Amino acid sequence: MPTIMVVVVTWALMLLAQTVPGVCALARPCPEPDARVAPALLFGGLMMLPAAGLILTAWVERGWAWWVRLALYVVLIGLAVAGLGAVLFAGGFTIGFPL
């Protein structure tokens, strides 16, 4: 269940990130409106591999399965964080500081 929740929440955040306004840099032109779609699809798809591995090893009670699940969780969380960062910053998103 935690695996499915991580994937669903990350996908929802990637979907919501599509509406975050982009900030255009003066040195280069603004990115296309759909610039965030490709990273969302890439990382959303890549997250399915460790999620499938976690679901397949959920019922295995061997000693090595615990280490495999731990490694797969690390990969899954890493892909989720990297994917959200890639989606947010692909469209020119910056954190605005008041001047």
Side-chain angles (χ1 to χ4, degrees), residues 28-93:
R28 58 188 185 133
C30 290
E32 296 294 323
D34 59 349
R36 295 183 178 133
V37 174
L41 291 174
L42 175 70
F43 283 97
L46 285 175
M47 286 176 49
M48 294 305 294
L49 294 173
L54 283 165
I55 291 170
L56 289 175
T57 61
W59 295 281
V60 177
E61 295 296 330
R62 304 228 172 143
W64 56 267
W66 187 85
W67 291 103
V68 171
R69 284 193 294 268
L70 178 65
L72 288 172
Y73 267 118
V74 168
V75 171
L76 180 67
I77 299 299
L79 283 172
V81 171
L84 288 172
V87 168
L88 283 176
F89 291 105
F93 173 75

